[in-house]
């Protein structure tokens, strides 16, 4: 604890120096008008936000967390249904119209799990997490899902084991240099480096017969600090559950692609569900992993592969032989989405939506209840203000999604079911999920970054009392990439991260092209409860956010995003910053081509000279390495020209916006509504129906999860991944496609500019009714 405190104090010192201020003085961005609001409307909005903040009560978050995490509440569980009904009753009590929309989704659960080391020694894995006296809910054995990976295949395998580190593409390159194949083997992989489903996908592609996953204590255990219950980190028997469907191909119910999984929906047979894994997969604890790692022989693992267990890490294959047997009940389970609606007073067909899921792998106090209770407190105050006569101009929808944990299923089914209406009406989606104390971690559409920068500058960090924007600047100066450090030195403005996947914003942003946010706090509350029975109220309240002070801060941030979008005179979309960000992404892919060319030339020189990197026994022969094809010249001129059009259109809109703001957005309501529609559909211009190569569900061509990164984002994904795969003809095709989308965006922005430049109507005569 002392070390953590010293680190925090040191970070505060860096931040104060970097900010150039001491105290809570307002920065230039804090004094600027609220984007999208006339001066009178801005004054009313700031007063509304002050009253909103004053009404937030941390005690509500604590009370709701205790109730919602009191029992396990996975998909189809009794407490999952009870929680949906409890949440719906809360929303109704606050004045919302509420509906529970039920979908029927594939959710397999295990009926048989066996893992045993059969050679050179014998050991049977416990596959259990023990109850702890210090954790009141950890002993609810009859209700807890066992430790498993959803959407792994039924199967029985007995095979030699190969340790593959994190099982990411770079690790397979190391195995190739070692001359080791995983074909026909069981692989043992540690969590980290990528989403768990990617590890299984790569194992399948390399011919492995099954996968065993474990959390190494170097990443998630005693090497990080005291283990639970003495400290927050994963104990030896702790296990990370989780889904392993092919999420980068598409999320949602595996049996109903592109359509809502309603009760009578037509479903694919299991053997045609392309996102299901074809090999058995099982997660285990590091206590169960240790005997297997001790039994593996072969070459000593490369340095970066070695974890914190007290043993020498070897790669294999063998002599460790493991028997793995799994069988599942492949059941259809109900998923309960709670949708609450607060009708807009002036623009009911423009929708702003907030969401957070309510299902968990077990009790889920951190994931997802910490985010959900912040959403509920936000919704309570929005409803209270509406009942007091301060109803939002636009409609606000709140969602508590079910079945997020298995693969963003509840939100995806709802989006696919309502896609046509959402395309017409949805302004933006704001998502939260698990969070804890620390820094504001926000990602989202860069068309709304300017609005968010004002919010991050206006909300105070609970630890320091200074703005969230300035605290993020300190973090970027201290721990950021070179690009982040440079941006932090140049500006104190908050920068949104690009969104990949991993939570319920994905179907909104990447399938329908709806501008989205993902918000949370973290970075100062590490711990090992993730997806285990120890993700409990006791763990969360002791270690992650005691007193829910950052939960209240999350409600302040997300509440402002929701209310400003709902109340703005003109929606606060902005394109100059988007053009700047797209320029950074374009420079990155251009540099990637040059880096690939240089790496190829170095590799081929080494091949010609007979110089190879190896980790194996130096007395053994080197593995033969083939030369790589030469990188051709890639012409980015089309893309650069299209980006120039976006920037030119963005500058035109910025000027038109300033002229309109100067006259208080004095347009007829119908004219402003038409501009609004052009603005909020601008994100759609960056999507197209055929989607990305080999995964058409993902339609956004600026943000997508990587094909082999899982949650991790790939910006300009069509172009970037074609380069990474060395698909040169596809690279040129994706450049052409992306350039056309940027040109379409420029036309969209120009239309908004032209509409904004329409002169305001004459003032009505005295006594006349306003239009």
């Amino acid at each position: 604890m002392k070390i953590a405190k010293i680190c925090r104090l040191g970070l505060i010192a860096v931040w104060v120096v970097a900010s150039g201020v001491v105290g809570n003085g307002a920065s230039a961005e804090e004094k600027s008008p609220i984007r999208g609001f006339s001066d009178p409307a801005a004054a009313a909005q700031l007063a509304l936000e002050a009253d909103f903040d004053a009404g937030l009560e941390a005690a509500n978050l604590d009370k709701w967390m205790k109730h919602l995490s009191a029992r396990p509440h996975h998909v189809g569980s009794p407490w999952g249904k009870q929680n949906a009904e409890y949440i719906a009753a809360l929303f109704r009590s606050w004045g919302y119209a509420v509906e529970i929309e039920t979908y029927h989704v594939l959710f397999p659960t295990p009926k048989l799990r066996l893992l045993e080391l059969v050679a050179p020694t014998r050991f049977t894995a416990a596959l259990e997490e023990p109850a702890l006296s210090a954790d009141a809910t950890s002993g609810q054995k009859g209700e807890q899902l066992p430790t498993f990976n959803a959407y792994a295949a039924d199967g029985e395998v007995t095979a030699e084991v190969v340790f593959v580190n994190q099982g990411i593409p770079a690790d397979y390159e190391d195995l190739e240099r070692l001359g080791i194949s995983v074909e026909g083997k069981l692989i043992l992989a540690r969590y980290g480096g990528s989403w768990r489903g990617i590890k299984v996908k790569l194992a399948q592609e390399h011919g492995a017969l099954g996968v065993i996953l474990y959390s190494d204590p170097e990443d998630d255990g005693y090497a990080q600090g005291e283990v639970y219950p003495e400290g927050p980190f994963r104990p030896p028997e702790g296990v990370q559950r989780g889904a392993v469907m092919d999420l980068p191909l598409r999320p949602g119910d595996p049996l109903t692609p592109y359509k809502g999984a309603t009760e009578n929906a037509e479903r694919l047979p299991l053997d045609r569900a392309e996102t299901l894994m074809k090999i058995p997969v099982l997660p285990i604890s590091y206590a169960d992993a240790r005997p297997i790692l001790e039994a593996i022989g072969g070459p000593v693992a490369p340095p970066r592969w070695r974890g914190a267990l007290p043993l020498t890490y070897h790669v294999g294959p063998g002599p460790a032989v493991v028997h793995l047997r799994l069988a599942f009940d492949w059941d259809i389970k109900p998923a309960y989405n709670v949708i609450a609606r607060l009708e807009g007073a002036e623009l009911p067909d423009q929708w702003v939506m907030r969401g957070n899921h309510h299902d968990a792998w077990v009790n889920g106090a951190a994931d997802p209840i910490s985010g959900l209770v912040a959403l509920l407190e936000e919704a309570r105050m929005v409803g209270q203000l509406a009942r007091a006569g301060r109803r939002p101009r636009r409609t606000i929808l709140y969602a508590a999604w079910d079945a997020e944990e298995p693969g963003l299923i509840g939100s995806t089914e709802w989006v696919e079911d309502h896609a046509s209406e959402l395309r017409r009406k949805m302004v933006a989606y704001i998502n939260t999920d698990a969070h804890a104390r620390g820094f504001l971690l926000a990602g989202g559409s860069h068309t709304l970054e300017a609005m968010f920068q004002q919010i991050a500058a206006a909300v105070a960090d609970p630890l320091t009392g200074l703005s969230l924007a300035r605290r993020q600047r300190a973090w970027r100066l201290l721990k950021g990439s070179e690009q982040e450090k440079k941006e932090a030195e140049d500006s104190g403005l908050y920068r949104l991260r690009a969104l990949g996947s991993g939570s319920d914003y994905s179907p909104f942003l990447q399938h329908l092209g709806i501008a989205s946010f993902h918000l949370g706090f973290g970075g100062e509350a590490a711990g090992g409860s993730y997806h285990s029975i120890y993700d409990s109220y006791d763990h969360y309240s002791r270690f992650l956010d005691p007193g829910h002070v950052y939960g209240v801060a999350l409600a302040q941030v997300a509440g402002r995003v929701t209310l400003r979008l709902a109340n703005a005179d003109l929606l606060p979309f902005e394109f100059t910053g988007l053009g700047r960000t797209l320029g950074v992404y374009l420079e990155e892919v251009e540099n990637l081509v040059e880096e690939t060319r240089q790496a190829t030339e170095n590799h081929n020189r080494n091949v010609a000279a007979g110089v190879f990197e190896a980790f194996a026994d130096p007395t053994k022969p080197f593995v033969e390495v083939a030369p790589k094809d030469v990188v051709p010249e890639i012409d980015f001129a089309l893309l650069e020209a299209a980006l120039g059009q976006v920037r030119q259109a963005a500058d035109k809109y910025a000027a038109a916006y300033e002229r309109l703001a100067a006259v208080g957005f004095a347009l007829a309501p119908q004219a402003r509504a038409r501009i609004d529609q052009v603005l909020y559909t601008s994100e759609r211009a960056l999507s197209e129906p055929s989607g990305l190569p080999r995964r058409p569900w993902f339609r956004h061509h600026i943000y997508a999860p990587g094909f082999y990164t899982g949650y991790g984002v790939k910006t300009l994904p069509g172009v970037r991944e074609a380069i990474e795969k060395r698909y040169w003809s596809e690279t040129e095709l994706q450049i052409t496609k992306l350039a056309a989308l940027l040109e379409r965006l420029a036309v969209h922005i120009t239309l908004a500019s032209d509409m904004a430049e329409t002169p305001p109507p004459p003032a009505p005569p005295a006594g006349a009714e306003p239009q």
Side-chain angles (χ1 to χ4, degrees):
M1 294 298 292
K2 290 182 179 178
I3 293 173
K5 184 175 181 181
I6 290 168
C7 290
R8 288 198 297 272
L9 291 172
L11 184 56
I12 293 167
V14 170
W15 165 46
V16 170
V17 171
S19 302
V21 295
V22 176
N24 199 18
S27 64
E29 67 266 24
E30 289 168 311
K31 295 176 181 176
S32 61
I34 302 177
R35 185 169 182 86
F37 288 78
S38 65
D39 288 345
Q45 179 68 17
L46 290 173
L48 178 78
E49 291 172 5
D51 291 343
F52 173 85
D53 286 354
L56 297 174
E57 298 181 18
N60 287 332
L61 280 70
D62 192 69
K63 175 179 66 176
W64 296 328
M65 178 176 281
K66 280 182 180 177
H67 178 85
L68 294 168
S69 66
R71 317 295 308 182
H73 49 104
H74 52 271
V75 179
S77 64
W79 201 253
K81 182 179 182 182
Q82 189 280 338
N83 276 353
E85 293 168 347
Y86 178 84
I87 294 163
L90 288 175
F91 277 119
R92 290 190 186 101
S93 72
W94 302 330
Y96 291 83
V98 183
E99 184 176 359
I100 296 178
E101 297 195 41
T102 304
Y103 294 93
H104 299 267
V105 304
L106 180 68
F107 184 62
T109 52
K111 58 184 180 182
L112 174 64
R113 298 171 303 135
L114 174 66
L115 181 72
E116 51 187 356
L117 179 69
V118 297
T121 58
R122 299 195 68 89
F123 165 76
T124 300
L127 306 182
E128 295 288 343
E129 295 176 300
L132 300 173
S133 60
D135 191 301
T137 59
S138 63
Q140 299 166 337
K141 293 296 182 185
E143 301 170 65
Q144 296 164 349
L145 282 174
T147 56
F148 80 114
N149 289 126
Y151 307 112
D154 293 334
E156 184 170 11
V157 177
T158 301
E160 290 183 316
V161 179
V162 177
F163 175 54
V164 298
N165 188 32
Q166 295 175 329
I168 60 178
D171 296 326
Y172 283 94
E173 293 174 8
D174 287 347
L175 286 172
E176 184 179 2
R177 288 195 289 270
L178 283 164
I180 294 173
S181 170
V182 302
E183 188 170 359
K185 305 293 192 291
L186 271 168
I187 71 164
L188 176 64
R190 58 198 264 192
Y191 276 118
S194 185
W195 179 61
R196 72 187 76 82
I198 298 301
K199 303 170 190 290
V200 182
K201 181 176 181 175
L202 282 163
Q204 279 186 179
E205 292 176 355
H206 285 82
L209 299 180
V211 178
I212 307 161
L213 300 172
Y214 82 102
S215 300
D216 196 280
E218 179 181 62
D219 312 306
D220 192 7
Y222 56 74
Q224 296 292 321
E226 293 283 359
V227 301
Y228 193 59
E230 286 75 21
F233 294 97
R234 192 177 298 272
E237 298 83 7
V239 181
Q240 182 190 138
R241 295 158 181 79
V244 292
M245 71 160 63
D246 196 349
L247 200 61
L249 193 63
R250 64 171 181 84
D253 176 48
L255 304 185
T256 58
Y258 297 92
K259 61 188 177 186
T262 55
E263 187 169 15
N264 298 317
E266 184 178 350
R267 288 173 166 79
L268 296 172
L270 283 174
D271 60 2
R272 289 183 53 204
E274 57 187 355
T275 58
L276 300 181
M277 292 299 164
K278 305 299 189 290
I279 57 177
V281 187
L282 186 68
I284 63 175
S285 66
Y286 58 85
D288 280 343
R290 179 175 175 175
I292 301 172
L293 283 163
E294 289 175 330
I296 296 174
V300 173
R304 69 179 183 85
W305 289 32
R306 301 168 195 167
L309 287 168
L311 53 90
T312 301
Y313 286 72
H314 291 265
V315 178
V321 176
V322 163
H323 175 219
L324 171 64
R325 187 180 177 194
L326 296 176
F328 296 90
D329 286 318
W330 293 86
D331 293 337
I332 302 295
K333 299 287 179 64
Y336 304 104
N337 290 337
V338 183
I339 309 296
R341 179 187 183 93
L342 185 63
E343 190 86 357
E346 300 173 32
L347 296 164
D349 287 337
Q350 291 186 13
W351 297 354
V352 177
M353 191 169 200
R354 271 283 283 119
N356 196 107
H357 70 101
H358 68 79
D359 67 300
W361 284 109
V362 196
N363 297 77
D367 183 10
I369 300 304
S370 61
L372 180 60
V373 294
L375 177 149
L376 291 172
E377 182 64 357
E378 172 194 330
R380 182 186 69 83
M381 280 307 301
V382 169
Q384 180 174 308
L385 292 166
R387 292 196 302 276
R390 300 159 90 175
R391 181 173 287 270
R393 296 182 68 236
R394 297 174 180 85
T395 293
I396 297 176
L397 300 177
Y398 283 96
W401 305 113
D402 202 351
E404 187 270 355
E405 293 294 1
L408 321 183
I409 294 177
S411 58
T412 298
E413 299 314 303
W414 189 82
V415 165
E416 291 176 344
D417 199 22
H418 297 275
S420 178
E421 190 172 24
L422 296 179
R423 287 189 182 99
R424 295 194 311 272
K425 297 179 180 180
M426 188 65 75
V427 170
Y429 174 74
I430 305 107
N431 193 68
T432 51
D433 204 323
H435 86 106
R437 68 180 185 271
F439 299 88
L440 174 61
L441 307 173
S445 301
H446 290 88
T447 49
L448 290 170
E449 185 175 51
M451 177 200 75
F452 192 79
Q453 286 170 341
Q454 292 182 323
I455 291 170
V459 177
D461 173 74
L463 175 66
T464 64
L466 299 178
S467 81
L468 297 173
R470 289 180 177 174
R471 191 152 197 243
Q472 190 222 36
R473 182 172 185 252
W475 184 91
R476 287 153 64 95
L477 286 170
L478 188 66
K479 295 187 176 181
S481 65
E482 291 305 312
Q483 175 68 29
E484 288 173 328
K485 287 177 180 178
K486 183 179 184 303
E487 288 180 349
E489 289 170 355
D490 293 343
S491 169
L493 296 175
Y494 194 98
R495 296 296 184 201
L496 288 174
R497 300 178 179 186
L499 291 177
S501 186
S503 197
D504 290 305
Y505 57 81
S506 194
F508 292 90
L509 176 64
Q510 290 149 351
H511 190 57
L512 293 190
I514 293 166
S516 299
F517 287 98
H518 183 57
L519 310 175
F521 286 87
E524 292 193 325
S529 67
Y530 182 63
H531 288 188
S532 75
I533 66 172
Y534 310 120
D535 182 1
S536 62
Y537 174 82
D538 289 331
H539 185 283
Y540 191 87
S541 60
R542 286 181 61 195
F543 298 114
L544 300 188
D545 187 18
H548 298 278
V549 291
Y550 278 93
V552 171
L554 182 59
Q556 289 178 299
V557 174
R560 278 169 171 75
V561 176
T562 302
L563 287 168
R564 290 190 184 187
L565 286 168
N567 286 331
D569 291 311
L570 188 72
L571 286 171
F573 286 77
E574 188 268 347
F575 304 99
T576 305
L578 173 65
R580 180 178 58 250
T581 299
L582 290 174
V584 172
Y585 298 159
L586 177 54
E587 184 178 356
E588 287 174 356
V589 296
E590 290 176 334
N591 290 341
L592 180 59
V593 171
E594 292 309 309
E595 291 164 5
T596 304
R597 178 177 289 112
Q598 186 62 52
T600 299
E601 291 172 357
N602 291 340
H603 173 86
N604 290 347
R605 275 197 298 270
N606 289 339
V607 169
V611 178
F612 308 109
E613 180 181 3
F615 303 114
D617 184 336
T619 64
K620 294 181 180 179
F622 287 114
V623 177
E624 185 175 349
V625 179
K628 295 181 179 180
D629 58 304
V630 174
V631 178
E633 292 297 323
I634 303 296
D635 188 356
F636 287 94
L638 269 179
L639 205 45
E640 291 168 349
L643 177 57
Q645 293 180 40
V646 170
R647 287 170 165 166
Q648 185 177 11
D651 289 343
K652 181 178 180 182
Y653 179 75
Y657 172 87
E658 291 302 326
R659 287 192 293 271
L660 199 54
V663 296
F665 303 102
L667 290 172
Q670 300 91 333
R672 272 189 289 169
R674 286 195 296 271
I675 299 172
D676 276 346
Q677 187 173 39
V678 173
L679 291 171
Y680 72 73
T681 56
S682 62
E683 195 86 24
R684 324 279 203 266
L686 296 168
S687 300
E688 53 86 36
S690 65
L692 295 173
R694 293 165 292 280
R695 44 184 181 146
W697 188 92
F698 288 94
R699 295 172 174 172
H700 206 296
H701 281 254
I702 305 301
Y703 319 109
F707 202 76
Y708 288 109
T709 58
Y711 293 162
V713 67
K714 293 284 187 180
T715 53
L716 312 189
V719 177
R720 188 183 297 269
E721 292 194 324
I723 296 167
E724 291 172 343
K725 292 175 182 293
R726 306 173 71 90
Y727 295 169
W728 305 122
S729 59
E730 183 176 295
T731 300
E732 294 173 351
L733 178 63
Q734 290 299 312
I735 286 172
T736 301
K737 180 180 284 190
L738 180 57
L741 292 176
L742 293 184
E743 289 169 359
R744 188 169 75 180
L745 175 64
V747 170
H748 216 85
I749 299 169
T750 300
L751 176 60
S753 303
D754 293 342
M755 295 171 72
E757 288 173 348
T758 304
E769 290 291 327
Q771 295 183 350

